[in-house]
Amino acid sequence: MRPLSRFKSLYGAGPLHLLALLASFAIAAAAVVGWFQRPRDVVSVLIWFAAAIVLHDAVLLPLYSLLDRIAFGRVGRRAGRGRELSHLVNPTPYIRIPVVLSGLLFAVFFPVILGLGTQTELSATGIPESGYLARWLLASGVMFAVAGVSYAAAVARARPPAGSAAPASPVTTATPPASPAPTTPSAPTMPSAPATPPAPATPPAPATPPAPATAPAPATPPAPATPPAPG
Amino acid sequence: MRLPVVDLTRTPRGPFRPDFWRSPLRGPWLTALLGLVLMIGTPIVVVTGLISNAAYQPLLAGNSIGTNLSPLDLYVFTWPTRPVWLYALTEGLHVTIGLALFPVLLVKLWSVFPRLFEWPPVRSPAHALERLSVALLVGSALFEFVSGIVVMQFYYPFPFFFTAAHYYGAWVFIAAFGAHVLLKFGTMRRGLRTRGDVMEAAGASPGPTSLAAVSPGPVTMSRRVLLGTVGAGSLLLLLQGAGGSIGGPFRFLSFFGPHGYTGSGPLDFPVTETAAAAQITPASVGAAWRLDVVGTRSLQFSREQLLAMPQHTYDLPIACTEGWSTTQRWTGVRLRDLAALAGVNESATVTSSTVQTDLNGGYVVTLGSEQVADELSLLALRVNGVDLSLDHGYPARVISPAVPGTHCHKWVSKLAFSPVLT
């Protein structure tokens, strides 16, 4: 074997890969040496470093996914089976977006919202800061209200005009619930039939073929029981 | 004693199975797009952070963030005095862009979350090293963002010294981020070309190495809506940072920023340390207060004597580490005039100490020769046409262009000019 291909088969990638990572580790090690300028701080810095990973990967993200699955599981399952939704417009984004944005504001500003820095700030600046909990609730309330109004408007628009049998279009554009962002694209409505079939490449677990849009909706569907996406 | 044997050829149940991950939103295009945003955005945060740190002139006496400088304390330029809003800009960008990127980081991590559970956990030495590097990347990114965000809000939940931890943590991030960009740039470019809900939803080669779900759940929210939500979150946070940095009439945008400064009088602008917090006693700044000026000779001035000297008035911003800044009209004596009186006419640095330093061991600060030589650098006695208040540094404070607020000492008791040896 030529030296290069032997290296690749042993290491699993080219030499540049190794060099880049070694250079990176060397710089990171120099940074850790920097932490050692305050030896008493090193342990707590490393603990916070590791805790950040654990808290995010093992607690917060799984918790979010679980809550999302609980909240929107039914909607997703019904849509997955191609069953008629009792509503014309998919409500999921109208709930998920304000919840996520409100949660984001809390995740970022929990120290002021809960007043955790108030004492430090008061003694430092002499300014008694308060009322951030109310501000956060107000901001959340506005976002939920905007989402609610947008949802109502989307439903009104999706409702078939009197006399016509079906909605004019299975996908209507609705006002985005997240009004602060002019960039927010419109939320699509949920088609009552699965216009975008999930994964035609890999049929769901049961051998029964997944009901395509044309299949008669069985009373007892093959129930792929796909849990919804942990949004 | 026998160690439990793990059969690496058999994939455990749960998240280690590729079909556990259902979200149809995940995929190479989404991850590549978020990666592109972070690849462009985080260097702005890093560079403005490093520049803002350089503004503290850590090489000068008393300014160093650590007790010793490490090889990573590279300072390739002396801190300039123009433009006067330079530090306000770099620190404002650091805080504001950092806030705006936080949601992007969170969604990026969510988009690659299944990778944490890939099986077998290690395929080759290369794979092992790369995963270690990713652990450093994720850890340092979360550490840097979270520590910066809580400190902005005066919340110090950790026992370590923030400045040094944040600075060297940034170097861990820079190292891991650089390697990640280098190793993943091609993947990102390919991912950007897969463009689209259609291809991935149609199952374009989802496999163990693809980020797309092998058996995605139903689409309950489009990828566009997801990106729009990220954009909205970024914009919300951007406004929080920008409102405080730009200040003035824009401060109302900062919904979660400081709001206590409601007055409109000449002294109603923020401080980060009150006289009470600094334990300044009225007696220490009363009629007995004197300013020591040390050069080749030592002089003492009362406040009246300083007021009798030529006064200069300039509009200068004062900018804080927390990201806010405010421009006020300062009146006082030029630092270089005081240097000349002390017999120092050549290029010199100035080390200031304060009443607080004398009382209870507050810190000393050194400004560089460029700051001393600049005509805009003042020992201010008045602001906006009135005497300084105690919280704003009465009897006298330093104000110098483009210098961080904490280096503009209040309650100054001594200015020591040291000629720069060239």
Side-chain angles (χ1 to χ4, degrees):
Chain A
M1 254 201 288
R2 303 237 311 273
L4 182 62
S5 48
R6 198 160 73 208
F7 179 86
K8 279 187 175 169
S9 70
L10 276 176
Y11 175 65
L16 276 179
H17 185 278
L18 180 62
L19 289 175
L21 286 177
L22 288 181
S24 160
F25 292 145
I27 297 173
V32 175
V33 171
W35 281 333
F36 269 96
Q37 290 176 1
R38 293 168 182 271
R40 276 187 308 179
D41 282 5
V42 176
V43 173
S44 63
V45 168
L46 292 178
I47 287 174
W48 275 75
F49 205 88
I53 303 181
V54 172
L55 192 68
H56 177 269
D57 285 0
V59 180
L60 293 178
L61 222 166
L63 187 70
Y64 166 74
S65 299
L66 184 71
L67 289 178
D68 192 87
R69 205 169 269 209
I70 291 170
F72 301 113
R74 268 175 65 88
V75 180
R77 268 196 297 280
R78 292 179 78 102
R81 272 181 248 153
R83 294 264 296 272
E84 284 287 332
L85 288 168
S86 53
H87 15 251
L88 288 164
V89 178
N90 173 16
T92 314
Y94 295 92
I95 302 168
R96 200 184 262 154
I97 292 175
V99 167
V100 163
L101 290 181
S102 167
L104 173 72
L105 284 180
F106 187 83
V108 168
F109 292 109
F110 74 93
V112 289
I113 290 171
L114 300 179
L116 299 173
T118 311
Q119 270 314 310
T120 319
E121 186 170 2
L122 176 62
S123 61
T125 65
I127 300 298
E129 295 286 355
S130 61
Y132 288 107
L133 179 62
R135 279 167 181 269
W136 174 64
L137 291 173
L138 181 66
S140 302
V142 167
M143 289 191 289
F144 281 109
V146 170
V149 169
S150 314
Y151 179 64
V155 168
R157 244 177 300 158
R159 192 161 289 154
S164 112
S169 156
V171 175
T172 49
T173 47
T175 319
S179 68
T183 53
T184 311
S186 38
T189 56
M190 168 84 72
S192 50
T196 47
T202 49
T208 330
T214 50
T220 49
T226 21
Chain B
M1 183 182 139
R2 284 188 57 186
L3 292 168
V5 177
V6 178
D7 183 0
L8 290 177
T9 56
R10 281 189 51 197
T11 309
R13 298 168 71 82
F16 299 97
R17 295 272 168 94
D19 58 359
F20 177 85
W21 303 97
R22 301 281 186 182
S23 176
L25 297 176
R26 286 200 183 92
W29 182 77
L30 178 74
T31 300
L33 187 70
L34 296 167
L36 180 68
V37 173
L38 290 171
M39 192 186 79
I40 295 166
T42 34
I44 301 176
V45 181
V46 167
V47 169
T48 52
L50 292 177
I51 293 177
S52 299
N53 181 60
Y56 287 87
Q57 301 174 292
L59 297 182
L60 299 179
N63 296 355
S64 166
I65 56 170
T67 42
N68 304 300
L69 293 169
S70 88
L72 295 174
D73 290 272
L74 296 168
Y75 302 103
V76 290
F77 56 90
T78 55
W79 187 247
T81 58
R82 295 288 189 284
V84 296
W85 37 261
L86 182 60
Y87 176 76
L89 178 76
T90 60
E91 185 66 15
L93 279 177
H94 180 65
V95 166
T96 304
I97 305 288
L99 273 173
L101 285 181
F102 189 53
V104 184
L105 172 72
L106 293 181
V107 178
K108 171 76 161 55
L109 290 178
W110 171 84
S111 80
V112 294
F113 195 47
R115 281 291 169 82
L116 181 62
F117 303 93
E118 62 188 325
W119 200 265
V122 171
R123 288 193 303 269
S124 65
H127 188 223
L129 285 183
E130 196 167 335
R131 292 202 75 180
L132 178 64
S133 171
V134 168
L136 287 181
L137 180 65
V138 174
S140 59
L142 291 172
F143 181 83
E144 289 299 288
F145 274 91
V146 170
S147 61
I149 284 172
V150 297
V151 162
M152 272 171 60
Q153 302 169 65
F154 289 93
Y155 180 46
Y156 292 82
F158 32 70
F160 49 79
F161 178 53
F162 166 75
T163 314
H166 195 68
Y167 180 75
Y168 294 115
W171 278 104
V172 177
F173 176 78
I174 291 166
F177 178 78
H180 191 66
V181 169
L182 213 63
L183 298 181
K184 290 293 186 188
F185 189 76
T187 313
M188 184 190 77
R189 280 187 57 188
R190 281 193 300 280
L192 286 173
R193 265 183 304 219
T194 63
R195 170 85 214 182
D197 300 4
V198 187
M199 272 189 70
E200 284 167 34
S205 69
T209 57
S210 169
L211 290 161
V214 290
S215 52
V219 180
T220 56
M221 191 171 122
S222 80
R223 201 164 279 165
R224 280 175 60 202
V225 175
L226 172 70
L227 290 174
T229 310
V230 178
S234 283
L235 191 71
L236 270 177
L237 297 184
L238 185 86
L239 293 178
Q240 302 310 308
S245 322
I246 302 168
F250 296 95
R251 205 172 291 282
F252 80 93
L253 289 173
S254 186
F255 203 65
F256 293 97
H259 279 268
Y261 313 101
T262 48
S264 55
L267 295 165
D268 288 319
F269 58 93
V271 297
T272 25
E273 189 177 33
T274 58
Q279 298 169 356
I280 303 295
T281 56
S284 62
V285 292
W289 174 86
R290 292 292 180 274
L291 175 74
D292 288 318
V293 178
V294 181
T296 54
R297 56 175 174 266
S298 295
L299 304 164
Q300 251 192 0
F301 297 89
S302 69
R303 196 167 189 278
E304 289 67 35
Q305 288 169 317
L306 289 168
L307 281 168
M309 290 172 61
Q311 302 290 302
H312 302 272
T313 299
Y314 300 112
D315 289 350
L316 288 175
I318 185 150
C320 190
T321 322
E322 277 84 14
W324 59 261
S325 73
T326 175
T327 298
Q328 306 295 336
R329 177 159 296 175
W330 309 91
T331 302
V333 184
R334 280 182 182 148
L335 290 184
R336 68 184 191 194
D337 292 351
L338 290 168
L341 283 173
V344 178
N345 289 305
E346 64 270 49
S347 185
T349 63
V350 63
T351 300
S352 57
S353 32
T354 73
V355 171
Q356 186 192 5
T357 320
D358 307 337
L359 284 175
N360 53 40
Y363 58 97
V364 299
V365 157
T366 301
L367 296 180
S369 52
E370 300 198 28
Q371 281 70 39
V372 173
D374 196 292
E375 62 178 9
L376 300 189
S377 293
L378 299 178
L379 181 71
L381 306 163
R382 295 162 66 80
V383 63
N384 299 323
V386 299
D387 283 342
L388 290 172
S389 66
L390 196 53
D391 278 345
H392 287 304
Y394 180 91
R397 76 164 304 164
V398 171
I399 184 84
S400 180
V403 165
T406 50
H407 275 200
C408 294
H409 256 160
K410 303 193 280 193
W411 317 292
V412 176
S413 63
K414 181 178 170 184
L415 294 174
F417 294 94
S418 316
V420 177
L421 304 171
T422 47

